[in-house]
Amino acid sequence: QTVEEIGFDDGTAEEGLNFGSQNFTAVRFNSTGLLLRYNWYQMSSGGAFHIKVWEDSDGQPGGEMYSRIVNNGSMGWNTYNINDDDPNLVVTGDFWMGIMEFSSSSPFGFDTDSENSTILTKSGLTGTWTSITDMGYNGNLMIHAVIDFNPSITCPPADINLDGLVNVIDIIALVNNILGIIELTEDQACSADM
């Protein structure tokens, strides 16, 4: 398995968190690989916000690597496939994922039962980054990064022969592998492990 979801919360939102229109919130992550998805928890359905991904610059968000407006999220967990927009967005070491809010942004899930990760916020484009812990917030913003640690392995689900189709030939290849007649390559085994 080369894909992992990274988050710092326990999966349960005790509170919702908003800092207001045109304000930013960022969570620091540390990983190396291809950034596939941005997962977030909303306290209510609807609203809009900017997904943001930044490089690290001396322990705070630096150069913007990715930005996208998303809207109409559902209450609970949501996913945006960053990889559909930028199939080559690679992160290395520390990086930041977060939001820029609009007036319509739904409150984001905030887990108060887990230890603090590094979360910063700033007001508007010209504000300075400040730790939310220094503002009296203790917990974790419910944003997750989904990273492929080995993007050289391509494994479309169930496409055992990697021809771009899922059909009876893939089933025969899987059965032949189970019977020991053929051995699957690493990419084929990845596709077989749905």
Side-chain angles (χ1 to χ4, degrees), residues 5 58 63 90 95 114 137-138 150 172:
E5 184 171 353
D58 298 323
V90 173
F95 67 99
S114 59
Y137 294 95
N138 294 306
N150 188 354
I172 292 169

Side-chain angles (χ1 to χ4, degrees), residues 164-185:
L165 303 171
V166 177
N167 52 33
V168 71
I169 296 170
D170 298 300
I171 296 168
I172 292 169
L174 183 58
V175 169
N176 284 337
N177 175 255
I178 292 168
L179 295 174
I181 297 170
I182 65 168
E183 188 171 327
L184 299 178
T185 67

Side-chain angles (χ1 to χ4, degrees), residues 13 15-19 40-49 74-76 78 99 101-110 141-142:
E15 296 179 15
L17 193 65
N18 277 104
F19 287 107
W40 76 97
Y41 190 97
Q42 281 188 206
M43 299 302 287
S44 59
S45 294
F49 68 98
S74 301
M75 185 170 95
N78 294 268
I99 55 181
E101 296 181 39
F102 295 123
S103 59
S104 67
S105 296
S106 169
F108 295 88
F110 190 66
L141 188 63
M142 297 174 72

Side-chain angles (χ1 to χ4, degrees), residues 60-125:
Q60 65 183 21
E64 188 174 278
M65 300 171 67
Y66 179 83
S67 181
R68 172 75 177 200
I69 296 174
V70 294
N71 57 25
N72 296 323
S74 301
M75 185 170 95
W77 284 105
N78 294 268
T79 296
Y80 188 81
N81 285 328
I82 289 175
N83 192 249
D84 288 347
D85 294 337
D86 187 347
N88 300 308
L89 183 55
V90 173
V91 292
T92 304
D94 286 343
F95 67 99
W96 297 79
M97 286 179 49
I99 55 181
M100 186 190 83
E101 296 181 39
F102 295 123
S103 59
S104 67
S105 296
S106 169
F108 295 88
F110 190 66
D111 170 28
T112 60
D113 289 342
S114 59
E115 293 185 25
N116 292 350
S117 58
T118 302
I119 306 170
L120 302 177
T121 188
K122 80 172 183 173
S123 296
L125 294 172

